[in-house]
Amino acid sequence: MSAKDSRNTLGLRELFDVLRSQTTLDSVRALLKARGLHYSAPSWEVMLDSRLKDHIDSGAIQIDDIVELIRENEEHGNKHVFLYQFDAKKASELKSSFRVDRVSKWLVENGYPSLNDYSLQTYPDVPTVSEVRLEPSAGNNENIFVLKIVRTLKHKKAAELVQYQGREVFLAEQESVRAVDLLKIHPNGLIEVRVHPRRGAISYTGAAAAAL
């Protein structure tokens, strides 16, 4: 993985915000513990502002380590999972499509990140491909195709009663939510789509179909 988003291009506070939204305290503790560093923290505030920041400032933890932790965690967790089966009669066609040379060419033609290269997207203005990789399939030499899309959802916070121009009105602020959807295609034709939860009326099957 190349860390294209370094401390010079991505603010530490923004990086921490993404880390908090995509991982758990336990996963951050596990990272620090594995490095032999102080890892106890009763809350995210203590973990980010004391433990993690101090370890980064001392050089014990690199920005790349944080980005990798986000990368590993963002495709799991609370997601709606949909399974489809590709036509078995066209399985050979599917397998040939996922050769390294073909996938690499497709990525270049569409301006996506290079194969197996991760581009950390924080809160993109439009849905953005952040990673495409080929994973070895257990028991054979065939590849599993993985594609991740990051998007920014707008969620309304709980409305609050405030004074506005001499009147009492309810105002609801919007917050940005980082959503990661994942498409995974296995050589046996099994297609797995993981969709980040949305609020409001939405067809999750429609969202999964859109990923396909």
Side-chain angles (χ1 to χ4, degrees), residues 1-6 15 61-69:
M1 179 195 73
S2 62
K4 296 180 179 178
D5 298 283
S6 67
L15 181 65
I61 290 293
Q62 304 297 318
I63 295 298
D64 288 9
D65 299 324
I66 305 301
V67 172
E68 183 62 23
L69 190 61

Side-chain angles (χ1 to χ4, degrees), residues 179-196:
V180 179
D181 298 333
L182 179 139
L183 171 66
K184 195 169 190 177
I185 305 178
H186 299 259
N188 63 359
L190 177 65
I191 301 174
E192 177 183 351
V193 183
R194 303 177 195 169
V195 180
H196 185 93

Side-chain angles (χ1 to χ4, degrees), residues 146-208:
V146 181
L147 180 146
K148 286 198 289 191
I149 300 174
V150 181
R151 69 186 72 233
T152 302
L153 305 179
K154 294 296 184 180
H155 288 178
K156 286 185 179 180
K157 295 183 178 180
E160 296 182 357
L161 184 63
V162 299
Q163 294 290 332
Y164 178 74
Q165 295 183 349
R167 297 181 179 181
E168 288 188 335
V169 296
F170 282 97
L171 291 181
E173 295 183 352
Q174 278 193 334
E175 63 178 344
S176 295
V177 176
R178 183 175 184 270
V180 179
D181 298 333
L182 179 139
L183 171 66
K184 195 169 190 177
I185 305 178
H186 299 259
N188 63 359
L190 177 65
I191 301 174
E192 177 183 351
V193 183
R194 303 177 195 169
V195 180
H196 185 93
R198 270 67 157 171
R199 286 185 182 175
I202 180 175
S203 167
Y204 282 102
T205 54

Side-chain angles (χ1 to χ4, degrees), residues 3 9 24 46 50 55 77 90 94 104-105 125 137 140 145 148-150 152 176 182 189 191 198 208:
T9 57
T24 65
V46 174
S50 296
H55 291 321
K90 299 181 179 179
L94 183 67
S104 298
K105 180 181 178 182
D125 294 329
S137 178
N140 55 54
F145 176 85
K148 286 198 289 191
I149 300 174
V150 181
T152 302
S176 295
L182 179 139
I191 301 174
R198 270 67 157 171

Side-chain angles (χ1 to χ4, degrees), residues 23 34 47 90 118 141 159 184 191:
T23 67
M47 174 61 77
K90 299 181 179 179
Y118 179 68
N141 296 321
K184 195 169 190 177
I191 301 174

